Amino acid sequence: MDFSRPDNARKINRLKVLGALRKRDMSRAELSRQLLINKVSISEITDSLIRDSLVSSGPLDNTTSGRPATILSINRNGGRVFSLVFSTSTVMASASDLKGNVLRFERFPKDEGLVDYISSFIRKMTQDQPKVFGMTVIGTPSDIPSDVFPWPVVYRQRSEAQARGEMEGRDDLKDVYFVSWGDEIEACWMDGRIRTIPSFGHIKVTKGIPCSCGGDGCLSAAAGGKALKEKTGISQYRQLTTLEKGLIAIDDASSAMAFALSEAVQAVGAKDVMLTGELSSMPKDLYASMEDKMRMALPPERRSVRIIKSEKGDKALLEGAGIIALDEFFYHRDILEKLEEIQLNPWSL
């Protein structure tokens, strides 16, 4: 995008206003001061957003001296995004509002009726004819192609959605290495922005176990949920994390996970690790055991690193998937981040 063109500049300012209101409600005067956009332009932008039902004009702010100002906020019901989360045998579909709140979700079997199930869910959630901005698929085009839907679609990893959902509304997770431990093992890391680490699940931790990537002894092949279910003959995660046979298998696999985590946190400098995914529901004593194994593999100066459990579980996964769609198709966070990068480093153009 050519940021110097007047029409693009107006689009950027509009996105800046939406981004600012996403963080907190504020008046036109506050927006003008914070964004360094003149008051006339702010009024034009906010009036346009109100006409488009994307921003709501709320109560007066009587907390400051002088004439009370009208407080503006994102209109949660001004639009919607959808998300699909694929796993081995099921799919979760969800709809989120413009603030990222999950309005409803349903779980479907992954069978020949899948497209009909999803279509029924979408019809149910669009009866009031909201504007739909896009969809996140936590999966791949082989799970469901993008041309099935009339809106733009983005495909992302489970670990990124989990991380975004866990981090929403919190400022204490910026130095955390997120690991999704389910059928496969995925990871991501906050490095200014959330970055997926495709290589984590394929760190070599053993020998003699072929991996789907073509390698041998990869972490996912040795400790992934799919591998543990095959090893134990237990098909359900709820049983895998409660039956003795499953817990023994998880404890054995935790040695490989602990080694991989020790390598990862040293590489990126993470202060803590958060486990998400189906296997994060394992008992506390297995967390403690894996944490001890990881610390033994770390140098003494790094042995304060903790392994912490997801606080939101599937809720974080669904919220995060919705947030990805909002960032991509409504708030256009990547454009604003690129603009900020250019302003800080003009030679990057």
Side-chain angles (χ1 to χ4, degrees):
M1 178 181 286
D2 182 355
F3 298 116
S4 64
R5 290 178 53 184
D7 55 337
N8 284 340
R10 284 191 291 272
K11 291 176 184 176
I12 291 297
N13 286 341
R14 182 180 166 102
L15 292 178
K16 285 181 176 180
V17 168
L18 288 172
L21 291 177
R22 180 186 191 179
K23 295 175 182 176
R24 67 179 179 89
D25 301 347
M26 62 182 83
S27 67
R28 290 175 175 84
E30 288 178 291
L31 285 167
S32 178
R33 287 193 297 270
Q34 179 174 312
L35 300 176
L36 302 178
I37 301 172
N38 67 69
K39 293 180 180 179
V40 173
S41 294
I42 285 291
S43 291
E44 290 176 351
I45 292 167
T46 54
D47 288 348
S48 171
L49 290 170
I50 291 170
R51 286 195 301 271
D52 292 342
S53 299
L54 301 178
V55 167
S56 299
S57 180
L60 297 178
D61 181 6
N62 295 303
T63 61
T64 59
S65 59
R67 184 180 177 183
T70 303
I71 298 300
L72 304 176
S73 61
I74 296 293
N75 178 13
R76 299 172 185 268
N77 298 316
R80 197 158 293 169
V81 293
F82 285 94
S83 307
L84 297 176
V85 179
F86 282 79
S87 61
T88 302
S89 59
T90 63
V91 179
M92 285 193 293
S94 66
S96 301
D97 65 22
L98 295 187
K99 292 283 282 185
N101 300 300
V102 175
L103 302 172
R104 182 183 178 90
F105 78 92
E106 293 183 12
R107 193 185 300 268
F108 312 120
K110 192 177 174 183
D111 59 24
E112 64 278 358
L114 180 60
V115 173
D116 290 335
Y117 305 145
I118 294 170
S119 298
S120 176
F121 176 79
I122 289 173
R123 283 196 301 272
K124 191 184 305 178
M125 296 307 297
T126 53
Q127 287 179 349
D128 54 348
Q129 298 183 325
K131 182 175 176 58
V132 178
F133 289 93
M135 171 177 282
T136 301
V137 173
I138 304 301
T140 68
S142 63
D143 292 311
I144 192 162
S146 61
D147 59 13
V148 170
F149 308 104
W151 321 293
V153 176
V154 62
Y155 295 87
R156 295 293 173 83
Q157 285 190 5
R158 178 179 291 252
S159 59
E160 179 183 352
Q162 287 273 184
R164 287 188 181 276
E166 295 286 351
M167 293 180 70
E168 186 70 7
R170 297 181 61 174
D171 295 320
D172 59 333
L173 298 178
K174 292 181 179 177
D175 293 316
V176 172
Y177 194 86
F178 294 90
V179 174
S180 176
W181 195 5
D183 286 348
E184 305 294 335
I185 299 176
E186 301 174 353
C188 64
W189 164 246
M190 183 69 177
D191 180 19
R193 65 180 67 183
I194 295 177
R195 302 184 187 277
T196 56
I197 315 292
S199 60
F200 179 75
H202 300 282
I203 291 176
K204 189 175 179 64
V205 295
T206 188
K207 295 180 180 178
I209 304 178
C211 181
S212 59
C213 72
D216 177 71
C218 295
L219 177 63
S220 282
K226 190 183 296 183
L228 294 182
K229 286 191 284 188
E230 290 176 357
K231 178 180 179 180
T232 60
I234 298 172
S235 61
Q236 301 295 323
Y237 279 110
R238 185 174 298 178
Q239 294 179 326
L240 193 62
T241 56
T242 54
L243 297 180
E244 183 178 5
K245 185 178 182 181
L247 294 175
I248 291 172
I250 293 172
D251 191 34
D252 289 343
S254 71
S255 297
M257 178 66 83
F259 170 77
L261 289 176
S262 70
E263 295 288 299
V265 298
Q266 289 183 83
V268 302
K271 292 182 179 178
D272 289 314
V273 172
M274 177 177 281
L275 284 187
T276 67
E278 291 87 350
L279 285 169
S280 67
S281 61
M282 64 184 182
K284 289 182 179 178
D285 61 329
L286 290 187
Y287 270 89
S289 173
M290 185 163 64
E291 187 175 79
D292 288 343
K293 293 172 184 175
M294 178 189 69
R295 286 176 172 173
M296 290 301 294
L298 287 168
E301 66 274 12
R302 296 303 321 278
R303 289 179 182 169
S304 61
V305 177
R306 301 174 301 162
I307 298 177
I308 55 180
K309 183 179 179 180
S310 162
E311 294 189 3
K312 296 182 179 179
D314 279 351
K315 182 181 178 182
L317 180 59
L318 294 174
E319 285 183 356
I323 289 167
I324 288 171
L326 287 172
D327 281 346
E328 188 79 14
F329 305 118
F330 181 63
Y331 293 106
H332 294 282
R333 184 173 173 179
D334 58 332
I335 294 177
L336 295 180
E337 288 179 345
K338 181 62 177 175
L339 179 61
E340 184 177 351
E341 181 183 335
I342 290 171
Q343 290 171 336
L344 292 173
N345 304 294
W347 52 86
S348 65
L349 278 170

